Amino acid sequence: MKIVVLTGAGISAESGLSTFRDNNGLWENHRIEDVATPEAFARNPDLVHKFYNLRRANLKNVKPNPAHFALAEAEKKFNNFLLVTQNVDNLHERAGSRNLIHMHGELLGKKCTFCNKISRIDGKLCKELVCEFCGKAGGLRPDIVWFGEMPYEMERIYKELLQCNLFVSIGTSGSVYPAAGFVEIAKQAGARTVELNLEPGEQKSHFQESIYGKASDIVHDFFGNL
Ligand code: NAD
């Protein structure tokens, strides 16, 4: 059986990371347009750096929850298992997931806009920082796919969706494309499609099955009974 799982901010909610939409569409009290677009970064790089520096520093205060661990277990149980996350935190890998795509980038990544090199960052980013690869200052940004930018590894993800037998979407509102469209692709390819969420997401009508509850309860149960 070939399985593709898509996760969103809801799977990390019980670890203490706030989701996008649970707070009137604000992310940690910021409008998306102010912190998660290339235009916002061009307009106010200090604010955007500060926002992601805080999110990155906060990773030290949070831990994976049972839903992250259940997916790492499922990866071991089923040998054809791909996890695609929209999340920029590192909780899936800390729980043990290995076959993982961060389609929206990672808080622990930085990218140079001059030479396009991507590398790790544990500390703070700021606009004065010099790129260790090209030696230029002022071009480093968080390795986050902002609204209006192309997510990572889309070719590989579509290929896997077209071949999968089971597609499971966990803790995502189904409002951010292209991830929101994955269920339709999997369905057209003949896969069983399942939504695990706290409440119905916007793509509800495309799923054959839906299970509602906290991720820490329902993810373990679903994969345990598979
Ligand atoms: P979203 O905020 O739009 O939706 C969150 C979904 O999770 C909702 O459907 C909600 O009902 C559900 N949910 C909340 N608590 C839950 C729980 N305990 N168990 C199960 N489900 C729960 O998030 P999204 O769909 O991922 O899309 C928004 C974008 O936000 C993504 O691109 C992502 O990069 C970014 N984001 C990431 C993080 C993170 O990395 N942890 C946090 C906030 C936002």
Side-chain angles (χ1 to χ4, degrees):
M1 179 163 53
K2 202 173 172 66
I3 303 173
V4 177
V5 174
L6 171 71
T7 62
I11 198 165
S12 296
E14 290 165 80
S15 293
L17 296 177
S18 56
T19 65
F20 247 149
R21 325 248 156 208
D22 292 350
N23 193 11
N24 297 325
L26 298 180
W27 189 6
E28 298 286 351
N29 295 322
H30 289 277
R31 293 188 319 149
I32 288 161
E33 308 82 56
D34 293 336
V35 292
T37 63
E39 294 76 22
F41 186 57
R43 207 167 44 235
N44 193 344
D46 289 332
L47 173 74
V48 175
H49 277 312
K50 189 175 168 206
F51 177 79
Y52 289 99
N53 285 342
L54 283 170
R55 307 278 81 71
R56 190 178 309 111
N58 191 41
L59 291 177
K60 297 190 176 81
N61 305 322
V62 296
K63 289 195 286 233
N65 68 54
H68 297 105
F69 286 113
L71 290 179
E73 278 305 305
E75 181 181 313
K76 286 187 208 140
K77 183 171 157 191
F78 303 98
N79 47 21
N80 215 327
F81 186 98
L82 174 67
L83 176 55
V84 181
T85 188
Q86 300 169 85
N87 294 345
V88 295
D89 66 51
N90 61 354
L91 296 179
H92 281 307
E93 45 273 55
R94 282 168 59 191
S97 288
R98 293 292 169 261
N99 199 11
L100 168 68
I101 296 176
H102 274 281
M103 64 178 287
H104 290 167
E106 295 177 63
L107 284 170
L108 292 179
K110 66 179 187 308
K111 184 161 89 173
C112 176
T113 51
F114 296 125
C115 70
N116 283 326
K117 277 268 202 273
I118 293 173
S119 53
R120 305 294 288 177
I121 172 96
D122 280 333
K124 288 184 182 175
L125 271 176
C126 64
K127 65 178 187 232
E128 292 78 25
L129 217 61
V130 174
C131 171
E132 72 238 56
F133 299 102
C134 69
K136 290 188 187 163
L140 288 168
R141 56 167 275 184
D143 182 25
I144 303 288
V145 177
W146 286 322
F147 285 89
E149 298 182 320
M150 180 60 80
Y152 290 132
E153 300 209 48
M154 290 309 296
E155 213 171 303
R156 181 175 160 214
I157 295 170
Y158 283 132
K159 192 169 159 238
E160 297 279 342
L161 287 169
L162 288 169
Q163 293 172 354
C164 74
N165 312 102
L166 171 64
F167 173 75
V168 186
S169 165
I170 306 171
T172 170
S173 59
S175 51
V176 178
Y177 281 86
F182 289 176
V183 59
E184 280 190 82
I185 294 166
K187 193 170 74 172
Q188 279 162 20
R192 175 184 171 198
T193 54
V194 184
E195 176 183 31
L196 307 182
N197 211 354
L198 194 60
E199 55 196 23
E202 287 182 26
Q203 306 302 321
K204 180 192 177 327
S205 61
H206 294 298
F207 288 95
Q208 291 155 351
E209 298 160 52
S210 300
I211 301 170
Y212 301 118
K214 287 184 176 177
S216 60
D217 295 329
I218 59 180
V219 177
H220 177 267
D221 288 354
F222 177 81
F223 285 100
N225 294 325
L226 206 57

